[in-house]
């Protein structure tokens, strides 16, 4: 009976798992956004540096038109099933906008980093770098 209960719990957890396609296919208006008074190329570079400074793995980057996209994943730990996310840098001529979308790998996960925390960490990294210029 114990094995059946554990198996059912595991299936329920997997049924609520987020995938990279979930965050990749989210609209550009999704997530938490912040505008920066900096040119697109500068913001793009500083955003990548900010994301790389977090406890995440950068899975891919791509540029399409006036949008630069970073996909990242935070590995599983003792306190979290992990998270996945996307950061977009959009060219607003002459300024730029950074948008962060992230999801916990399991919708039942209570611990870990939420979207607002990821966004604030990314924004803080960009602002800190801009202040040093």
């Amino acid at each position: 009976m114990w094995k059946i209960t554990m198996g059912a719990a595991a299936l329920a957890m997997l049924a609520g798992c987020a995938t990279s396609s979930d965050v990749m296919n989210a609209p550009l208006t999704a997530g938490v956004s912040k505008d920066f008074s900096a040119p697109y190329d500068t913001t793009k570079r500083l955003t990548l540096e900010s994301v790389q400074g977090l406890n995440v793995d950068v899975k891919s980057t791509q540029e399409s038109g006036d949008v630069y996209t970073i996909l990242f994943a935070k590995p599983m730990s003792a306190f979290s099933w992990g998270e996945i996310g996307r950061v977009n840098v959009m060219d607003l001529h002459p300024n730029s906008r950074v948008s962060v979308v992230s999801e916990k790998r399991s919708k039942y996960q209570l611990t870990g980093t939420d979207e607002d925390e990821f966004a604030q960490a990314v924004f803080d990294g960009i602002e800190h770098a801009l202040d040093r210029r």
Side-chain angles (χ1 to χ4, degrees), residues 25-37:
N25 295 325
L28 286 177
T29 56
V32 181
S33 298
K34 182 169 183 160
D35 291 354
F36 291 91
S37 297

Side-chain angles (χ1 to χ4, degrees), residues 29-123:
T29 56
V32 181
S33 298
K34 182 169 183 160
D35 291 354
F36 291 91
S37 297
Y40 172 72
D41 287 333
T42 300
T43 305
K44 181 174 72 169
R45 178 178 52 79
L46 296 178
T47 301
L48 180 58
E49 289 174 8
S50 181
V51 172
Q52 289 172 329
L54 302 176
N55 183 27
V56 299
D57 298 323
V58 173
K59 296 299 185 181
S60 68
T61 61
Q62 93 178 34
E63 191 163 20
S64 178
D66 289 342
V67 179
Y68 178 68
T69 301
I70 303 165
L71 290 179
F72 68 86
K74 185 172 182 181
M76 187 170 36
S77 71
F79 305 105
S80 169
W81 285 96
E83 296 85 28
I84 55 176
R86 180 187 80 201
V87 180
N88 288 320
V89 180
M90 294 163 270
D91 193 349
L92 300 180
H93 309 287
N95 299 320
S96 50
R97 175 174 294 144
V98 176
S99 173
V100 179
V101 175
S102 74
E103 291 187 25
K104 295 179 180 183
R105 287 202 186 270
S106 171
K107 68 180 178 180
Y108 303 107
Q109 178 178 323
L110 299 177
T111 60
T113 309
D114 67 23
E115 185 173 78
D116 289 331
E117 292 171 314
F118 269 123
Q120 192 59 55
V122 171
F123 301 156

Side-chain angles (χ1 to χ4, degrees), residues 4-18 81 105-109:
I4 293 172
T5 303
M6 292 305 290
L11 283 175
M13 292 292 278
L14 290 174
C17 289
W81 285 96
R105 287 202 186 270
S106 171
K107 68 180 178 180
Y108 303 107
Q109 178 178 323

